[in-house]
Each structure stands twice: as structure tokens, then as C-alpha cells.
Amino acid sequence: NPPYLTEIEFVDIEPSVKNYEPKSALVPADAHVESKAFGPYKEILDIAARALRSGGWIWFELGQTQPDWIQDYAKNLGQFNDLRMMRDMSRKYRFFCARKS
């Protein structure tokens, strides 16, 4: 999973995560520039658009600020279909997947 938290979200994250995961695993290096932690997702989707074979799937975990943007970005790349957002046990969108056209 890519780092998916913004700097603001990191401040309020559960201690059970914050105290045991390195910050770099949770907050992307460009979080200060990309206030919604988009950088890793852009890179992953751009690479997947070029590298996946037709019919291949991409799956990853999301932060709470990313669902709408991720789906729009993947759709606008024009390389994916069957885009899906899935909820976690708290009913929050937490996972994204798409199939290469």
C-alpha cells in the first residue's frame, strides 16, 4: 500500500499505528506539496496504465481524502475499466481496484 495520509491526518492517527509504523510508510514525501497525498497514487496509476496487460488488475488501499480523486484520475487515464471503490468495516471507502482495458 502506498503512503496515504496527509500531514493533518497523521497528527490524529491512532497511537497503535503511529507508534509502530514509520512516518514515511504512512505519509508520502510530497504531502506538504500535495495536500491530499496524491503523489504515490499518480505514480502507481501511471505505471500501471503502461505496464499492466489487458485484463490485469490494480488494487490498493486509500486514505479518506482520496476516493473521488483516485477514481477520476484512473478514469481520465483512459486505460482502465471496471473501477471500484470498496468500503471497510466502518463503511468508509478504503480500497480501490480497476482493470486494465
Side-chain angles (χ1 to χ4, degrees), residues 56-98:
W57 287 88
I58 182 167
W59 294 72
F60 49 76
E61 185 176 7
L62 308 168
Q64 293 181 18
T65 61
Q66 289 121 355
D68 293 334
W69 177 88
I70 296 285
Q71 190 151 343
D72 289 345
Y73 190 79
K75 184 178 180 179
N76 289 334
L77 285 172
Q79 298 290 316
F80 299 101
N81 58 29
D82 204 5
L83 291 89
R84 300 179 192 180
M85 291 288 178
M86 289 162 278
R87 298 178 190 267
D88 64 10
M89 292 177 7
S90 301
R91 305 294 304 150
K92 295 177 184 172
Y93 286 113
R94 188 56 97 183
F95 307 97
F96 172 80
C97 68

